[in-house]
């Protein structure tokens, strides 16, 4: 099928165009509002765009980890090239938190602890896959640890997440990611991000049981985490970009959402439990079905 044109899906809102490949068979764009950043949605009590974290007083060009409070005494998050150093779960089975320097910090914009806030840098393209609908690929090789994009959308509350799940019709995609964060023995903090109506290029990323991207919650200016995706290995040019919808950690969906999904199944006449969609990732370890919900866990 011939390609008629490529246009910038982000409408110039990103540093580089997000190309979408249109063919003669494509008559409409996916219906959503493009936003490169998280936006405040129903039930979210904190505006993700508001600066709420304190800044450091480092006056050097780039912060020195032993003295800068932003890395929170956990060592540097990135190497000199801006690649994420810790790409997998820690010994505890959870990922380690990342705090970048922010708008209140005295360090320069060139600080090595400012990566995700720099926005999209890679040339990405949204395209039609063979059997998975829309997908995303990079138009250049991506080194291991490189920041690729965010999974950005509406940050919503638990009740709104439940309401949206109940309103979903059979066959509709569930875009909501639930991030659960454990701060020692303290309460579990939950963040729900839904890019269905408002989101960025991350909403088009497909699941894989053997993904080439990893998701890492990163805090920059706000206590609301950004869900950043990094290359878990070197990725070839034009290779599809994928991530594990479960996050690959010891995750357990909030009981409220699981029970809500079961209620939704009953209301739509489904009697075989939670709706399962076939996985077409083609990995050797493919589970044959997509995860029931999108969920990752971070531990502080």
């Amino acid at each position: 099928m011939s390609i008629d044109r490529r246009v910038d899906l982000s409408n110039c809102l990103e540093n580089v165009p997000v190309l979408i490949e249109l063919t003669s068979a494509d008559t409409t764009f996916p219906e959503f509002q493009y936003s490169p950043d998280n936006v405040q949605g129903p039930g979210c009590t904190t505006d993700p765009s508001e600066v709420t974290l304190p800044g450091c007083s480092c006056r050097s060009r780039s912060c020195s980890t032993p003295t800068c409070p932003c890395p929170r005494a956990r060592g540097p998050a990135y190497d000199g090239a801006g690649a994420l150093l810790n790409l997998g779960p820690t010994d505890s089975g959870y990922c380690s938190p990342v705090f970048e320097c922010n708008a209140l910090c005295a360090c320069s914009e060139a600080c090595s602890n400012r990566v995700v806030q720099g926005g999209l840098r890679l040339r990405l393209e949204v395209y039609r896959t063979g059997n998975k609908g829309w997908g995303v690929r990079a138009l250049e090789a991506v080194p291991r640890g490189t920041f690729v994009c965010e999974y950005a959308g509406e940050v919503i509350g638990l009740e709104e997440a439940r309401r949206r799940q109940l309103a979903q019709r059979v066959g509709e995609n569930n875009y909501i990611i639930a991030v659960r964060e454990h701060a020692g023995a303290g309460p579990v903090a939950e963040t729900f991000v839904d890019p269905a109506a408002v989101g960025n290029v991350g909403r088009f990323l497909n699941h894989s049981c053997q993904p080439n991207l990893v998701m890492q919650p990163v805090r920059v200016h706000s206590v609301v985490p950004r869900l950043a995706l990094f290359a878990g290995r070197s990725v070839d040019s034009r290779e599809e970009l994928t991530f594990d919808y479960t996050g690959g950690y010891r995750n357990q969906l909030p009981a409220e959402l699981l029970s809500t999904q079961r209620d939704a199944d009953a209301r739509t006449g489904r009697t075989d439990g939670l709706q399962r969609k076939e996985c077409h990732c083609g990995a050797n370890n493919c589970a044959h079905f997509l995860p029931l919900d999108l969920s990752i866990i971070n531990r502080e």
Side-chain angles (χ1 to χ4, degrees):
M1 191 175 296
S2 62
I3 299 170
D4 295 328
R5 59 196 173 108
R6 288 184 175 91
V7 298
D8 181 8
L9 185 63
S10 76
N11 295 315
C12 300
L13 293 176
E14 300 281 12
N15 297 318
V16 293
V18 177
L19 298 179
I20 182 168
E21 179 184 279
L22 297 177
T23 69
S24 56
D26 294 314
T27 57
T28 59
F29 288 115
E31 295 182 2
F32 77 105
Q33 177 185 335
Y34 197 99
S35 174
D37 305 305
N38 285 330
V39 298
Q40 187 174 16
C44 177
T45 58
T46 303
D47 184 350
S49 65
E50 183 181 356
V51 180
T52 56
L53 293 178
C56 69
S57 58
C58 306
R59 297 193 176 276
S60 58
R61 184 174 185 273
S62 188
C63 291
S64 174
T65 300
T67 59
C68 180
C70 293
R72 303 294 171 98
R74 294 182 180 271
Y78 309 110
D79 65 15
L84 186 68
L85 292 172
N86 298 317
L87 287 166
T90 62
D91 292 339
S92 65
Y94 301 94
C95 63
S96 182
V98 171
F99 288 83
E100 291 193 1
C101 291
N102 60 53
L104 299 181
C105 292
C107 58
S108 74
E109 292 297 320
C111 177
S112 60
N113 195 39
R114 298 177 184 266
V115 173
V116 173
Q117 64 193 269
L120 188 66
R121 300 294 181 185
L122 297 174
R123 293 182 298 125
L124 303 181
E125 181 180 59
V126 176
Y127 72 106
R128 284 282 190 184
T129 65
N131 55 0
K132 294 179 289 185
W134 295 101
V136 182
R137 59 190 173 197
L139 300 180
E140 57 191 284
V142 184
R144 182 178 185 271
T146 300
F147 169 61
V148 174
C149 68
E150 287 187 49
Y151 190 89
E154 286 185 281
V155 182
I156 59 178
L158 172 61
E159 290 302 319
E160 178 64 13
R162 295 174 63 187
R163 186 195 69 78
R164 292 186 183 188
Q165 281 201 331
L166 283 171
Q168 282 182 350
R169 295 188 293 267
V170 176
E172 287 185 331
N173 292 326
N174 174 31
Y175 292 95
I176 300 173
I177 276 189
V179 181
R180 310 188 72 207
E181 298 178 283
H182 300 255
V188 176
E190 295 177 343
T191 304
F192 301 91
V193 178
D194 184 8
V198 180
N200 72 336
V201 63
R203 74 189 297 282
F204 293 101
L205 291 166
N206 283 315
H207 165 80
S208 176
C209 299
Q210 194 172 347
N212 50 28
L213 302 181
V214 295
M215 182 172 279
Q216 169 70 55
V218 176
R219 282 182 169 80
V220 184
H221 312 295
S222 171
V223 294
V224 179
R226 297 187 182 189
L227 306 187
L229 289 147
F230 295 83
R233 60 168 173 80
S234 295
V235 182
D236 294 332
S237 176
R238 304 187 70 82
E239 178 183 348
E240 184 180 5
L241 299 169
T242 58
F243 74 103
D244 182 350
Y245 285 0
T246 70
Y249 302 105
R250 297 176 184 171
N251 56 323
Q252 214 32 259
L253 257 290
E256 297 93 334
L257 285 185
L258 286 175
S259 61
T260 296
Q261 184 63 57
R262 293 190 182 97
D263 291 342
D265 291 339
R267 294 186 186 189
T268 56
R270 283 173 280 176
T271 59
D272 55 345
L274 300 179
Q275 183 185 17
R276 306 303 300 269
K277 291 187 177 181
E278 290 187 18
C279 179
H280 299 287
C281 72
N284 294 332
N285 63 334
C286 181
H288 304 297
F289 291 97
L290 293 179
L292 291 168
D293 293 89
L294 310 187
S295 175
I296 62 173
I297 283 189
N298 182 40
R299 184 182 181 89
E300 295 187 4

